[in-house]
Short mmCIF file of all heavy atoms in Angstrom, two decimals:
data_model
loop_
_atom_site.label_atom_id
_atom_site.label_comp_id
_atom_site.label_asym_id
_atom_site.label_seq_id
_atom_site.Cartn_x
_atom_site.Cartn_y
_atom_site.Cartn_z
N LEU A 178 -27.67 55.30 -73.02
CA LEU A 178 -26.76 55.80 -74.02
C LEU A 178 -25.95 56.97 -73.48
O LEU A 178 -24.75 57.15 -73.82
CB LEU A 178 -27.48 56.18 -75.24
CG LEU A 178 -28.14 54.97 -76.02
CD1 LEU A 178 -28.91 55.47 -77.32
CD2 LEU A 178 -27.08 54.00 -76.48
N ALA A 179 -26.57 57.85 -72.69
CA ALA A 179 -25.87 58.99 -72.10
C ALA A 179 -24.73 58.49 -71.14
O ALA A 179 -23.61 58.98 -71.19
CB ALA A 179 -26.81 59.82 -71.31
N VAL A 180 -25.00 57.50 -70.32
CA VAL A 180 -23.97 56.87 -69.47
C VAL A 180 -22.90 56.22 -70.31
O VAL A 180 -21.67 56.35 -70.03
CB VAL A 180 -24.67 55.86 -68.52
CG1 VAL A 180 -23.63 55.05 -67.84
CG2 VAL A 180 -25.54 56.55 -67.50
N ALA A 181 -23.26 55.57 -71.45
CA ALA A 181 -22.37 54.91 -72.23
C ALA A 181 -21.40 55.94 -72.90
O ALA A 181 -20.19 55.78 -73.01
CB ALA A 181 -22.98 54.08 -73.29
N ARG A 182 -21.92 57.06 -73.38
CA ARG A 182 -21.18 58.09 -74.07
C ARG A 182 -20.14 58.72 -73.05
O ARG A 182 -19.01 58.96 -73.42
CB ARG A 182 -22.08 59.18 -74.62
CG ARG A 182 -22.74 58.76 -75.91
CD ARG A 182 -23.39 59.95 -76.63
NE ARG A 182 -24.47 60.52 -75.83
CZ ARG A 182 -25.70 60.16 -75.95
NH1 ARG A 182 -26.07 59.18 -76.82
NH2 ARG A 182 -26.67 60.63 -75.15
N HIS A 183 -20.67 58.92 -71.82
CA HIS A 183 -19.75 59.51 -70.83
C HIS A 183 -18.62 58.61 -70.47
O HIS A 183 -17.45 59.03 -70.28
CB HIS A 183 -20.51 59.79 -69.57
CG HIS A 183 -19.70 60.37 -68.38
ND1 HIS A 183 -19.24 61.65 -68.30
CD2 HIS A 183 -19.25 59.74 -67.32
CE1 HIS A 183 -18.57 61.80 -67.20
NE2 HIS A 183 -18.56 60.65 -66.55
N ALA A 184 -18.82 57.27 -70.42
CA ALA A 184 -17.90 56.33 -70.07
C ALA A 184 -16.81 56.09 -71.14
O ALA A 184 -15.64 55.78 -70.79
CB ALA A 184 -18.50 55.04 -69.73
N THR A 185 -17.13 56.25 -72.37
CA THR A 185 -16.28 55.97 -73.53
C THR A 185 -15.73 57.27 -74.15
O THR A 185 -14.97 57.16 -75.16
CB THR A 185 -16.98 55.16 -74.59
OG1 THR A 185 -18.11 55.87 -75.00
CG2 THR A 185 -17.47 53.82 -74.02
N ASP A 186 -15.93 58.39 -73.57
CA ASP A 186 -15.56 59.65 -74.19
C ASP A 186 -14.02 59.77 -74.10
O ASP A 186 -13.40 59.19 -73.15
CB ASP A 186 -16.18 60.81 -73.44
CG ASP A 186 -16.00 62.15 -74.18
OD1 ASP A 186 -15.78 62.06 -75.40
OD2 ASP A 186 -16.04 63.18 -73.51
N GLY A 187 -13.35 60.53 -74.97
CA GLY A 187 -11.99 60.73 -74.89
C GLY A 187 -11.19 60.03 -76.04
O GLY A 187 -11.68 59.16 -76.72
N ASP A 188 -9.96 60.60 -76.32
CA ASP A 188 -9.20 60.00 -77.41
C ASP A 188 -8.35 58.88 -76.79
O ASP A 188 -8.45 58.56 -75.64
CB ASP A 188 -8.35 61.05 -78.04
CG ASP A 188 -7.39 61.79 -77.05
OD1 ASP A 188 -7.01 61.16 -76.06
OD2 ASP A 188 -7.08 62.94 -77.32
N MET A 189 -7.48 58.33 -77.62
CA MET A 189 -6.75 57.11 -77.24
C MET A 189 -5.82 57.46 -76.01
O MET A 189 -5.81 56.65 -75.05
CB MET A 189 -5.80 56.67 -78.38
CG MET A 189 -6.56 56.00 -79.55
SD MET A 189 -5.47 55.53 -80.88
CE MET A 189 -4.60 54.14 -80.01
N GLY A 190 -5.12 58.55 -76.09
CA GLY A 190 -4.28 58.93 -74.98
C GLY A 190 -5.01 59.15 -73.64
O GLY A 190 -4.60 58.60 -72.59
N GLN A 191 -6.12 59.86 -73.72
CA GLN A 191 -6.92 60.17 -72.54
C GLN A 191 -7.49 58.86 -72.04
O GLN A 191 -7.49 58.69 -70.77
CB GLN A 191 -8.03 61.08 -72.96
CG GLN A 191 -7.64 62.54 -73.19
CD GLN A 191 -8.75 63.36 -73.79
OE1 GLN A 191 -9.71 62.82 -74.42
NE2 GLN A 191 -8.63 64.70 -73.74
N ASN A 192 -7.98 57.98 -72.79
CA ASN A 192 -8.48 56.78 -72.37
C ASN A 192 -7.46 55.83 -71.64
O ASN A 192 -7.72 55.15 -70.64
CB ASN A 192 -9.24 55.98 -73.49
CG ASN A 192 -10.62 56.61 -73.79
OD1 ASN A 192 -11.18 57.19 -72.98
ND2 ASN A 192 -11.00 56.50 -75.11
N PHE A 193 -6.24 55.92 -72.19
CA PHE A 193 -5.20 55.07 -71.55
C PHE A 193 -4.90 55.61 -70.15
O PHE A 193 -4.82 54.84 -69.14
CB PHE A 193 -3.86 55.20 -72.36
CG PHE A 193 -2.70 54.59 -71.71
CD1 PHE A 193 -2.55 53.18 -71.69
CD2 PHE A 193 -1.74 55.37 -71.07
CE1 PHE A 193 -1.42 52.62 -71.03
CE2 PHE A 193 -0.71 54.85 -70.44
CZ PHE A 193 -0.47 53.42 -70.41
N TYR A 194 -4.77 56.90 -70.04
CA TYR A 194 -4.38 57.51 -68.70
C TYR A 194 -5.46 57.40 -67.67
O TYR A 194 -5.25 57.12 -66.56
CB TYR A 194 -3.93 58.90 -68.86
CG TYR A 194 -2.57 59.08 -69.53
CD1 TYR A 194 -2.46 59.66 -70.79
CD2 TYR A 194 -1.43 58.54 -68.87
CE1 TYR A 194 -1.21 59.83 -71.34
CE2 TYR A 194 -0.14 58.65 -69.53
CZ TYR A 194 -0.07 59.27 -70.72
OH TYR A 194 1.13 59.37 -71.35
N ARG A 195 -6.78 57.48 -68.12
CA ARG A 195 -7.78 57.38 -67.14
C ARG A 195 -8.19 55.95 -66.82
O ARG A 195 -8.90 55.62 -65.91
CB ARG A 195 -9.05 58.18 -67.56
CG ARG A 195 -9.80 57.65 -68.75
CD ARG A 195 -10.90 58.66 -69.24
NE ARG A 195 -11.72 58.12 -70.33
CZ ARG A 195 -12.94 57.59 -70.02
NH1 ARG A 195 -13.41 57.55 -68.79
NH2 ARG A 195 -13.66 57.05 -71.02
N ALA A 196 -7.58 55.03 -67.55
CA ALA A 196 -7.76 53.61 -67.31
C ALA A 196 -6.81 53.08 -66.26
O ALA A 196 -7.05 52.12 -65.56
CB ALA A 196 -7.61 52.76 -68.52
N MET A 197 -5.63 53.81 -66.07
CA MET A 197 -4.65 53.30 -65.05
C MET A 197 -5.22 53.35 -63.70
O MET A 197 -5.01 52.40 -62.93
CB MET A 197 -3.35 54.18 -65.23
CG MET A 197 -2.62 53.92 -66.53
SD MET A 197 -1.04 54.78 -66.55
CE MET A 197 -0.12 54.00 -65.17
N PRO A 198 -5.94 54.45 -63.20
CA PRO A 198 -6.48 54.42 -61.89
C PRO A 198 -7.54 53.33 -61.69
O PRO A 198 -7.57 52.76 -60.61
CB PRO A 198 -7.19 55.78 -61.76
CG PRO A 198 -6.49 56.62 -62.73
CD PRO A 198 -6.09 55.77 -63.88
N ALA A 199 -8.21 52.96 -62.74
CA ALA A 199 -9.20 51.87 -62.60
C ALA A 199 -8.53 50.54 -62.36
O ALA A 199 -8.97 49.68 -61.56
CB ALA A 199 -10.05 51.74 -63.92
N GLY A 200 -7.36 50.33 -62.97
CA GLY A 200 -6.56 49.13 -62.83
C GLY A 200 -6.08 49.05 -61.38
O GLY A 200 -6.07 47.97 -60.71
N ILE A 201 -5.61 50.19 -60.89
CA ILE A 201 -5.13 50.20 -59.49
C ILE A 201 -6.30 50.02 -58.58
O ILE A 201 -6.14 49.31 -57.49
CB ILE A 201 -4.46 51.65 -59.28
CG1 ILE A 201 -3.21 51.74 -60.04
CG2 ILE A 201 -4.15 51.79 -57.75
CD1 ILE A 201 -2.61 53.18 -60.02
#
Side-chain angles (χ1 to χ4, degrees):
L178 293 176
V180 167
R182 283 192 296 269
H183 176 77
T185 57
D186 193 26
D188 58 30
M189 291 180 64
Q191 291 170 335
N192 285 331
F193 171 78
Y194 287 116
R195 70 191 187 95
M197 290 184 67
I201 294 172

